[in-house]
Amino acid sequence: MAQAPADPGTPPGVDEIASTPNLKQVAYLPKTGPFASSFNTDWAFKGKYAYGGNYNGFTVYDIRNPKAPTVAAQVVCPGSQNDVSIYGNLLFLGTDSQRTNDSCDNAGSTAAVPGDRWEGIKIFDISDPLTPAYVKSVKTICGSHTQTLVPGKRRDRSVYLYVSSYNLAAADQPNCALPHDKISIVRVPLRTPADAAVVATPVLFPDGGYGGGTGQSPTTGCHDITAYPEKDIAAGACMGDGVLFDISDRTAPKVITTVRDTVNFAFWHSATFNNKATKVVFTDELGGGAGATCNTTVGPNRGADAIYDIVGRGAKRKLEFRSYFKIPRANTDTENCVAHNGSLIPVPGRDIMVQAWYQGGVSVWDFTNSRKPKEIAYWERGPISATTLVLGGSWSAYWYNGYIYSNDIVKGLDVLQLNDRRTNSARWARTDLFNAQTQDNYRHW
């Protein structure tokens, strides 16, 4: 690919690359086979393998050499979005579209009676990453747009999945009747994962949540929940509400506090704690991720991240707004761009995050000072088309064992390497398991 002009104020051309000198692409693998024409989605990592979701299933990448990754296996199992999470030797695949059945040989279903349509969680055994084996399915109300792993406490040899789903239609839908103000909690016994089942469907918003407004989504479910199990808390991005939960009782999360932004936030999309769990970064997926919102017309506060400090203790904790962060570059009007999925970079004493912005690329930014966040690196491709708005770009960009892995919706896998004095101490941090929605204290890595 061609290198774009060095001037950050000049957007790169079609398929050109633009970046700061401290962030470089070190590997690229295009989508192949049955996934070439369907969207890439989220990541999970275990050991020397990266598991990349795709609307047609998931790909297993061998990343023993991050600069020369290879495709180790592909599992064809259609169903949007097919976000992935991993615990032990189990992989969980989330389906948020009504299917004819719960097997991997299925099709989209809108004609069958609602009770005969399937959506929810599929469980795979990845003891051998080269041959994942289908174990079990669990049907959930309204499907699984995202799922969050929460390990059981003490002697509870289980893992719990907080299954987030929502109803954007604001009307009763097959498999997703209103009021949809709940999540599904799936318990997976680790010794007998085939016994996995829904054990609770707690109502999180007994008052119905935010009713919505002009350009703002009502709360009819949650899009994403990020748990910090060591701290017994979770942060929910629930369409019209940002939420802090107490999850000390794994099957009965309790709302500690709720915040709303009726000026700039359109759709509360995801959340990330800092390592000390004293802050939360919420993302706003303005336009559903399909619009060209990183331009001067939209401005710096809409479609941005919002940084909140957690103040107080226990049940009296509150979320206090500090600032917004948005990439400081104007994209073209043919590039979908808005805050999307990212993770912390394990730099002791600093709050630094890598984040995907669709066709806005990959941004590395520092929010140690909650009131003055700043970008320290970026990498991006130019638009897919110079004349037509085409959905694409980085869906998820996560730090894992010294490298940044980006799952590009239409292009494939990008591996980036960051070389910066502010983050170089993270090069040697190592973990054997990474799920972005289940945060670990990286001091223990």
Side-chain angles (χ1 to χ4, degrees), residues 5-81:
D7 177 12
T10 303
V14 173
D15 276 344
E16 288 183 336
I17 296 294
S19 70
T20 48
N22 55 353
L23 187 58
K24 297 293 186 182
Q25 182 188 49
V26 295
Y28 167 65
L29 277 180
K31 294 192 299 182
T32 59
F35 299 157
S37 60
S38 56
F39 293 157
N40 278 342
T41 58
D42 213 351
W43 284 119
F45 300 84
K46 185 187 177 187
K48 301 299 183 182
Y49 294 92
Y51 297 78
N54 179 283
Y55 273 56
N56 267 344
F58 64 94
T59 299
V60 184
Y61 294 96
D62 184 328
I63 56 170
R64 280 176 287 189
N65 181 355
K67 295 183 179 181
T70 60
V71 173
Q74 290 184 318
V75 176
V76 177
C77 199
S80 62
Q81 300 180 142

Side-chain angles (χ1 to χ4, degrees), residues 8-9 11-12 18 20 23 281 283-284 291-307 324-332 335-341 353-366 373-381 393-394 397:
T20 48
L23 187 58
V281 174
T283 70
D284 173 22
T293 64
C294 294
N295 54 33
T296 54
T297 302
V298 174
N301 294 337
R302 297 177 61 229
D305 298 316
I307 305 164
Y324 296 109
F325 170 78
K326 193 172 183 179
I327 57 171
R329 290 172 304 288
N331 278 190
T332 70
E335 294 176 280
N336 61 301
C337 172
V338 77
H340 214 232
N341 295 349
M353 184 173 177
V354 57
Q355 185 175 12
W357 287 79
Y358 290 117
Q359 286 192 75
V362 176
S363 174
V364 179
W365 59 288
D366 187 324
K374 59 182 179 180
E375 185 175 71
I376 62 176
Y378 78 90
W379 180 92
E380 67 167 321
R381 282 190 176 88
S394 180

Side-chain angles (χ1 to χ4, degrees), residues 194-216:
D195 293 332
V198 175
V199 294
T201 54
V203 173
L204 304 179
F205 306 101
D207 64 351
Y210 181 51
T214 303
Q216 295 169 327

Side-chain angles (χ1 to χ4, degrees), residues 183-224:
I183 61 171
S184 296
I185 300 180
V186 176
R187 176 178 176 266
V188 185
L190 295 176
R191 290 175 177 169
T192 57
D195 293 332
V198 175
V199 294
T201 54
V203 173
L204 304 179
F205 306 101
D207 64 351
Y210 181 51
T214 303
Q216 295 169 327
S217 175
T219 298
T220 60
C222 289
H223 180 279
D224 203 301

Side-chain angles (χ1 to χ4, degrees), residues 41-45 81 83-86 92 145-151 160-162 164 223-229 233-237 247 269-273 283 340-344 353 395-398 433-440:
T41 58
D42 213 351
W43 284 119
F45 300 84
Q81 300 180 142
D83 282 359
V84 289
S85 301
I86 296 172
F92 305 97
H145 195 74
T146 62
Q147 75 274 356
T148 304
L149 282 169
V150 185
Y160 295 87
L161 301 178
Y162 290 0
S164 296
H223 180 279
D224 203 301
I225 294 173
T226 294
Y228 202 143
I233 59 173
I247 59 168
H269 174 270
S270 62
T272 302
F273 290 100
T283 70
H340 214 232
N341 295 349
S343 70
L344 296 182
M353 184 173 177
W395 180 292
S396 302
Y398 301 144
L433 180 67
F434 179 85
N435 298 290
Q437 284 73 44
T438 309
Q439 285 191 230
D440 295 320

